[in-house]
């Protein structure tokens, strides 16, 4: 029902043909033919003064990458094979850290499970939530700008203040959420104090700030051509069919981007658990001991930097594999404009 | 022409970058314009109450000196020790830093702090409480000088006692009495607790502390010797779990959530009638409690004839490894441990201090409730044990705590939980 109104609004909203609808493929094909010739000639000739200037211009970034990113990363890779403790030890111990991680450390598995749980629920839910809100906010009704601002606001308000706000909202007896639930006769859970409910509480909190993703979807929705919906109408498509066969496919590039970035970000969840639990110890029943929190405790509480580095590299591998899988799998469902082979 | 200009411009930029990175080297000598050696002293005491006190002490020292000038730097609590470790690794640490009393040996072992016995005469220990001195020793040397300590006591609401028909002058002496009193102090209306008499793990005496109290003051470790799964500890854990069962998970969680953020204290807001905390918790009652009628007692003993074992924490002064002026830093540390500085600190901040004479003489200056509490705090020290983290198992708590919680919330039995805790901790040994 809601979709129908959305689409009708769109139909009446005559928009200029979006740029993205232009026959991009042709441009690409042209480019594919013409650029490489010139590029081949110029490739890897540092003596060419134009190239040199180019490198000089990017040198701040290049130096940053080499010394501030790649350097420390390689260092941590080496450290993961040592018993480095920052101040006095750095002996090569082979795969000991990794062995300890997989065989001796129960908390490693707890933290991995907690993190997977969080990723598994928060990524699809926040993505679906953002799409849903974006579709709603794409209607033409008076005051829409105000709604858009309101929904985007949580994405601007971030950080520690928000966590404290949510700790109060989620308070079992006096919190707003349980108070509202009580109006409907539901006795709300203890949220952050009940091991069963701590992770759902955090996921709920994440859902509140889907505004960032929502904005991307909204921008994309505004660019979907009415021609497509008109054609669908002529074929007698209903609102759901139009959403399923037009709106959603048009959104897939953004969904794809959103899933990749939010998967990576979700695996790295740390602040929330560190701030919202006492002493950053992982919360009730260790239910908020996320991978990065465990790693942080190892690195900066007991200075077992070698072990923490091996954890970091394991996480890196997980994220890498998932991202590569996502990229490969994306060919099956991500729709790019103008292409007939997706 | 144009290209040459571009190139030159970029090179200029790069040079200025490099130069600005190298220019911060003027204080390398570490002396000020009067020729005094400048000592960098880092603390996390930045609050309105503490900062003026430590700065007055620094000021007094500077006035008494014509060779050393101490500069106090405030570093936030969450950063100070991590930053210090990084600074030690980078070779430019502070000269004096305040650090945790229970991990002195770890820093000694890991080469993060200087051996102070080369600079300070060991005779200094005679002026300080002996159980504090134990914490700074490592392999026959000492790596810090104790500054302050704390000790856990029982606060109880005398008005609530009267209301419940209990004698407000008879605080609980044993666990049994504590439980009897607490049950009478509970106030329940329509199935909801309005006041909970007592709950053992609220305040600053956790399950582990009660277990040590029951086990003749023994912590989970004595040195590297493990005392996790002992009969008394099992019994103590059963007792703690009993409270959770009696009050119900929901009620415990609800209460905990109300004061979890630290904005209100449930004892001061009279939601809980008996409360364990460090003695200087008194200042909170004084400042916010609206003339609350409270009493103070030692932590109850496990059994009639037992002692009132409680746990201590505190802070020591250390010289980070690689400090530029260890000799001068040591002179300042000696001053910080002196009767004068220690007495001033105790007077203003109400902490237990390490210097015996300072503690006793400040007691004479206090009156009324202040005196009552401080007297108890001093008496308490004889039953105060420190449980420094063992060298081989620095993060044993991360393995023990989840098991304690499982036992308390009924997800495991005390016997099984402690067995598992012991096994998990053993795996940590490197």
């Amino acid at each position: 029902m809601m979709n129908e109104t959305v689409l009708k609004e769109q139909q009446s909203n005559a928009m200029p043909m979006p740029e993205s609808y232009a026959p991009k493929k042709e441009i690409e094909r042209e480019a594919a033919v013409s650029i490489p010739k010139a590029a081949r000639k110029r490739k890897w000739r540092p003596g060419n003064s134009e190239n040199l200037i180019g490198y000089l211009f990017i040198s701040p970034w290049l130096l940053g990458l080499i010394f501030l990113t790649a350097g420390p990363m390689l260092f941590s890779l080496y450290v993961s094979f040592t018993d480095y403790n920052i101040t006095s030890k750095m002996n090569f111990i082979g795969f000991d850290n990794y062995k300890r991680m997989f065989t001796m450390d129960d908390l490693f598995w707890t933290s991995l499970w907690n993190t997977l749980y969080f990723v598994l629920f928060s990524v699809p839910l926040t993505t679906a939530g953002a799409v849903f809100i974006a579709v709603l906010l794409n209607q033409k009704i008076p005051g829409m700008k105000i709604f858009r601002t309101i929904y985007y606001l949580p994405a601007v308000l971030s950080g520690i203040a928000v966590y404290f706000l949510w700790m109060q909202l989620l308070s079992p007896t006096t919190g707003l959420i349980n108070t509202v639930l009580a109006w409907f006769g539901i006795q709300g859970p203890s949220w952050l104090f009940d091991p069963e409910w701590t992770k759902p509480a955090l996921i709920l909190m994440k859902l509140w700030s889907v505004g960032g993703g929502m904005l991307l979807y909204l921008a994309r929705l505004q660019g979907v051509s009415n021609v497509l919906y008109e054609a669908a109408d002529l074929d007698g498509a209903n609102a759901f069919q139009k959403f399923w066969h037009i709106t959603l496919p048009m959104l897939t590039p953004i969904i794809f981007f959103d899933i990749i970035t939010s998967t990576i970000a979700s695996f790295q969840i740390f602040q929330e658990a560190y701030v919202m639990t006492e002493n950053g110890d992982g919360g009730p029943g260790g239910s908020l001991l996320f991978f990065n929190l465990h790693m942080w405790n190892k690195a900066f509480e007991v200075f077992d930097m070698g072990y923490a580095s091996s954890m970091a590299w394991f996480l890196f591998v997980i994220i890498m594999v998932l991202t590569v899988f996502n990229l490969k799998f994306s060919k099956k469902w991500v729709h790019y404009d103008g292409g007939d082979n997706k | 022409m144009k290209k040459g200009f571009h190139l030159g411009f970029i090179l200029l930029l790069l040079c200025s970058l490099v130069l600005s990175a190298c220019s911060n080297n003027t204080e390398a000598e570490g002396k000020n314009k009067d020729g005094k050696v400048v000592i960098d002293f880092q603390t996390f005491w930045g609050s309105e109450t503490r900062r003026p006190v430590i700065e007055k002490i620094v000021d007094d020292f500077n006035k008494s000196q014509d060779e050393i000038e101490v500069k106090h730097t405030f570093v936030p609590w969450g950063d100070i020790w991590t930053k210090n470790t990084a600074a030690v690794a980078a070779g430019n640490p502070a000269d004096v830093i305040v650090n945790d009393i229970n991990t002195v040996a770890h820093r000694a072992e890991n080469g993060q702090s200087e051996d102070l016995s080369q600079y300070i005469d060991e005779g200094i220990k005679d002026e300080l409480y002996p159980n504090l001195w134990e914490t700074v020793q490592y392999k026959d040397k000492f790596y810090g000088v104790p500054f302050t300590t704390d000790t856990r006591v029982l606060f109880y609401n005398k008005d609530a006692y009267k209301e419940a028909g209990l004698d407000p002058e008879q605080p609980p002496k044993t666990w049994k009495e504590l439980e009897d009193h607490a049950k009478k102090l509970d106030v329940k209306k329509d199935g909801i607790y309005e006041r909970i008499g007592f709950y053992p793990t609220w305040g600053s005496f956790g399950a582990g502390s009660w277990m040590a109290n029951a086990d003749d003051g023994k912590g989970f470790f004595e040195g590297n010797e493990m005392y996790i799964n002992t009969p008394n500890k099992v019994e103590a854990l059963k007792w703690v779990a009993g409270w959770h069962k009696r009050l119900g998970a929901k009620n415990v969680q609800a209460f905990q959530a109300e004061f979890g953020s630290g904005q209100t204290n449930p004892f001061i807001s009279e939601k809980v009638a008996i409360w364990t905390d460090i003695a200087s918790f008194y200042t909170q009652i004084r400042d916010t409690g609206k003339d609350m009628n409270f009493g103070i007692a030692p932590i109850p003993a496990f059994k009639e004839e037992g002692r009132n074992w409680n746990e201590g924490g505190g802070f020591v002064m250390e010289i980070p490894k690689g400090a530029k002026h260890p000799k001068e830093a040591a002179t300042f540390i000696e001053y910080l441990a002196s009767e004068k500085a220690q007495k001033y600190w105790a007077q203003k901040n109400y902490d237990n201090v390490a210097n015996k004479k300072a503690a006793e003489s400040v007691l004479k200056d206090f009156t009324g409730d202040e005196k009552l509490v401080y007297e108890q705090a001093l008496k308490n020290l004889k039953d105060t044990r420190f449980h420094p983290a063992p060298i081989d198992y620095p993060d044993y708590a991360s393995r023990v705590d989840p098991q304690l919680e499982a036992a308390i919330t009924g997800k495991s039995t005390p016997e099984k939980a402690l067995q598992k805790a012991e096994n998990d901790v053993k795996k940590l040994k490197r």
Side-chain angles (χ1 to χ4, degrees):
Chain A
M1 200 47 212
M2 216 168 269
N3 289 326
E4 203 166 26
T5 33
V6 175
L7 295 173
K8 271 188 189 145
E9 289 293 342
Q10 281 187 341
Q11 285 158 10
S12 62
N13 173 21
M15 280 205 184
M17 168 129 50
E19 244 181 276
S20 55
Y21 195 62
K24 212 178 186 175
K25 202 73 189 178
E26 264 171 44
I27 299 174
E28 275 169 10
R29 205 174 295 132
E30 251 175 68
V33 179
S34 58
I35 291 173
K37 266 187 194 167
R40 226 176 288 140
K41 267 187 191 169
R42 288 187 192 164
K43 231 179 186 177
W44 292 110
R45 268 217 215 142
N48 185 325
S49 73
E50 218 171 291
N51 281 356
L52 188 64
I53 287 177
Y55 287 122
L56 277 172
F57 267 114
I58 62 162
S59 64
W61 176 84
L62 214 56
L63 290 174
L65 177 78
I66 293 168
F67 292 109
L68 302 177
T69 307
M73 267 181 82
L74 288 176
F75 178 69
S76 88
L77 180 61
Y78 174 70
V79 159
S80 75
F81 297 104
T82 70
D83 60 356
Y84 185 50
N85 70 351
I86 307 182
T87 45
S88 64
K89 283 190 287 194
M90 197 164 176
N91 307 310
F92 190 80
I93 53 168
F95 282 93
D96 266 18
N97 285 328
Y98 293 91
K99 239 188 269 167
R100 264 206 297 153
M101 192 162 85
F102 293 121
T103 59
M104 304 289 270
D105 188 355
D106 288 358
L107 291 186
F108 164 77
W109 295 108
T110 310
S111 69
L112 190 61
W113 160 244
N114 285 339
T115 311
L116 280 176
Y117 180 109
F118 180 77
V119 172
L120 230 58
F121 284 95
S122 86
V123 172
L125 283 174
T126 50
T127 308
V131 170
F132 180 68
I133 293 171
V135 169
L136 288 187
L137 291 178
N138 197 30
Q139 300 179 67
K140 279 269 172 205
I141 58 164
M144 186 46 87
K145 279 184 182 160
I146 295 171
F147 286 115
R148 285 179 187 166
T149 312
I150 290 174
Y151 278 95
Y152 186 64
L153 211 57
V156 182
L157 305 169
S158 62
I160 311 293
V162 170
Y163 307 150
F164 276 91
L165 174 82
W166 273 86
M167 281 161 79
Q168 298 200 338
L169 286 177
L170 291 168
S171 169
T173 45
T174 56
L176 204 59
I177 291 177
N178 278 4
T179 308
V180 171
L181 285 177
W183 292 345
F184 299 99
I186 303 166
Q187 203 202 347
S190 298
W191 298 111
L192 293 168
F193 293 86
D194 182 344
E196 306 288 321
W197 282 95
T198 46
K199 284 187 285 282
L202 281 200
I203 293 165
L204 187 69
M205 185 175 92
K206 287 276 144 192
L207 268 177
W208 180 69
S209 51
V210 293
M214 178 271 292
L215 201 68
L216 293 175
Y217 291 116
L218 194 58
R220 176 68 176 157
L221 281 175
Q222 307 250 300
V224 177
S225 166
N226 272 328
V227 175
L228 297 173
Y229 293 112
E230 279 160 17
D233 277 338
L234 285 178
D235 290 342
N238 63 26
F240 177 75
Q241 284 168 329
K242 279 189 281 189
F243 173 76
W244 193 252
H245 293 290
I246 300 173
T247 313
L248 212 52
M250 295 305 269
L251 282 180
T252 47
I254 311 285
I255 295 179
F256 174 58
F257 167 78
D258 195 17
I259 284 180
I260 294 242
T261 52
S262 61
T263 304
I264 293 174
S266 299
F267 265 108
Q268 293 172 345
I269 180 171
F270 169 74
Q271 273 183 22
E272 290 80 353
Y274 186 65
V275 174
M276 295 168 86
T277 66
E278 259 176 274
N279 313 320
D281 62 358
S287 57
L288 290 181
L289 186 78
F290 291 116
F291 198 88
N292 274 0
L293 187 58
H294 185 40
M295 184 166 81
W296 194 91
N297 284 337
K298 277 286 180 191
F300 297 106
E301 291 292 318
V302 293
F303 300 109
D304 197 347
M305 207 48 93
Y307 187 81
S309 295
S310 56
M311 282 186 73
W313 275 89
F314 181 66
L315 185 66
F316 179 77
V317 169
I318 294 181
I319 292 179
M320 204 54 158
V321 167
L322 277 177
T323 307
V324 168
F325 175 78
N326 257 338
L327 282 169
K328 288 259 180 256
F329 191 63
S330 74
K331 294 200 182 85
K332 299 241 182 291
W333 62 276
V334 178
H335 168 91
Y336 290 106
D337 285 351
D340 40 20
N341 57 347
K342 288 172 185 160
Chain B
M1 187 61 205
K2 232 181 176 181
K3 266 176 201 162
F5 173 74
H6 278 155
L7 262 177
F9 180 67
I10 290 160
L11 281 174
L12 193 76
L13 271 180
L14 280 176
C15 285
S16 65
L17 262 177
V18 172
L19 281 177
S20 66
C22 298
S23 65
N24 200 3
N25 228 348
T26 41
E27 272 188 23
E29 284 296 300
K31 288 193 177 182
N32 71 359
K33 56 185 184 313
D34 306 329
K36 287 185 187 176
V37 175
V38 179
I39 293 289
D40 184 19
F41 172 42
Q42 294 189 351
T43 76
F44 49 83
W45 291 315
S47 71
E48 269 171 60
T49 48
R50 302 204 161 208
R51 190 167 193 151
V53 180
I54 193 64
E55 290 193 342
K56 166 86 169 54
I57 292 173
V58 167
D59 215 40
D60 285 349
F61 174 79
N62 285 341
K63 279 183 191 142
S64 74
Q65 272 290 328
D66 41 2
E67 279 165 17
I68 306 169
E69 187 187 324
V70 176
K71 226 180 67 204
H72 173 235
T73 313
F74 160 66
V75 188
W77 168 254
D79 294 338
I80 185 163
W81 297 332
T82 321
K83 273 192 175 168
N84 178 50
T85 314
V88 169
N92 59 349
D95 295 292
V96 179
I97 191 166
V98 55
N99 219 319
D100 170 33
I101 202 167
N102 278 322
T103 45
V104 178
H106 289 266
R107 286 183 294 281
E109 156 89 11
N110 291 333
Q112 296 171 4
S113 55
E114 293 281 357
D115 161 21
L116 297 189
S117 52
Q118 349 166 32
Y119 307 108
I120 299 176
D121 186 78
E122 211 183 329
I124 196 173
K125 74 174 183 193
D126 298 333
E127 296 167 32
L128 311 172
Y129 285 101
N131 45 354
L132 293 178
W133 187 256
E134 271 173 36
T135 63
V136 300
Q137 283 175 304
Y138 178 67
K139 289 187 179 162
D140 299 330
K141 293 186 172 127
F142 61 97
Y143 287 81
V145 173
F147 185 68
T148 57
T149 178
D150 49 35
T151 170
R152 272 91 189 137
V153 290
L154 200 75
F155 289 88
Y156 64 99
N157 186 332
K158 284 190 174 176
D159 289 339
Y161 258 64
K162 280 182 215 155
E163 202 187 296
L166 288 160
D167 182 355
E169 301 311 319
Q170 292 294 323
K173 291 191 194 64
T174 60
W175 290 22
K176 176 86 182 50
E177 281 179 31
L178 176 61
E179 206 167 347
D180 292 343
H181 291 192
K183 280 178 188 161
K184 288 182 184 148
L185 288 160
D186 284 342
V187 177
K188 213 173 178 182
K189 214 178 198 177
D190 305 330
I192 294 167
Y193 280 95
E194 289 191 334
R195 183 173 72 204
I196 287 181
F198 179 73
Y199 187 74
T201 60
W202 293 341
S204 65
F205 210 66
S209 308
W210 288 106
M211 291 159 78
N213 175 295
D215 211 5
D216 291 324
K218 272 198 215 86
F220 290 122
F221 280 92
E222 299 287 314
N224 271 329
E225 212 50 39
M226 205 182 288
Y227 291 92
I228 296 175
N229 190 12
T230 68
N232 276 19
K233 287 210 169 77
V234 171
E235 208 180 315
L237 187 54
K238 270 185 196 157
W239 180 79
V240 176
W243 291 81
H244 189 269
K245 202 170 170 206
R246 179 170 69 82
L247 292 167
K250 279 262 168 199
N251 293 315
V252 172
Q253 287 165 358
F255 260 68
Q256 219 159 314
E258 291 317 304
F259 54 82
S261 57
Q263 285 151 340
T264 53
N265 179 282
F267 180 73
I268 293 172
S269 58
E270 308 198 40
K271 300 278 270 176
V272 176
I274 305 176
W275 187 255
T276 51
D277 217 318
I278 56 174
S280 58
F281 172 66
Y282 158 70
T283 57
Q284 272 190 58
I285 304 179
R286 182 189 64 195
D287 299 340
T288 57
K290 300 160 216 140
D291 294 323
M292 184 175 195
N293 188 12
F294 74 92
I296 186 167
I299 301 285
F302 180 52
K303 294 272 152 69
E304 292 272 339
E305 64 281 10
R307 279 171 73 175
N308 308 97
W309 292 115
N310 72 84
E311 284 187 331
F315 300 104
V316 301
M317 293 298 167
E318 286 177 5
I319 301 179
K321 191 99 188 167
K324 300 282 176 312
H325 307 288
K327 241 181 82 198
E328 289 81 359
T331 311
F332 177 56
I333 290 182
E334 281 183 274
Y335 179 79
L336 287 174
S338 70
E339 189 184 337
K340 188 184 172 201
Q342 292 261 297
K343 188 178 171 184
Y344 186 69
W345 182 272
Q347 228 163 15
K348 295 289 171 186
N349 285 330
Y350 213 75
D351 278 337
N352 274 87
V353 287
N355 189 301
K356 287 185 279 189
K357 273 192 199 150
E360 280 152 23
S361 96
V362 80
L363 180 63
K364 288 187 194 125
D365 297 352
F366 285 139
T367 53
D369 277 348
E370 271 185 344
K371 194 178 181 87
L372 189 82
V373 176
Y374 208 77
E375 201 163 18
Q376 179 60 55
L378 289 191
K379 266 197 247 163
N380 237 35
L381 284 180
K382 71 173 184 347
D383 290 331
T384 302
R385 293 287 318 271
F386 293 84
H387 302 303
I391 296 281
D392 289 342
Y393 311 92
D395 51 347
Y396 74 96
S398 69
R399 310 299 144 136
V400 175
D401 290 348
Q403 296 311 321
L404 299 186
E405 204 183 317
I408 293 169
T409 53
K411 295 208 166 60
S412 175
T413 65
E415 291 89 349
K416 273 189 208 151
L418 290 183
Q419 184 61 54
K420 172 132 178 43
E422 203 166 276
N423 291 343
D424 286 356
V425 170
K426 276 180 191 154
K427 287 190 207 161
L428 281 176
K429 186 167 181 176
R430 299 173 62 184

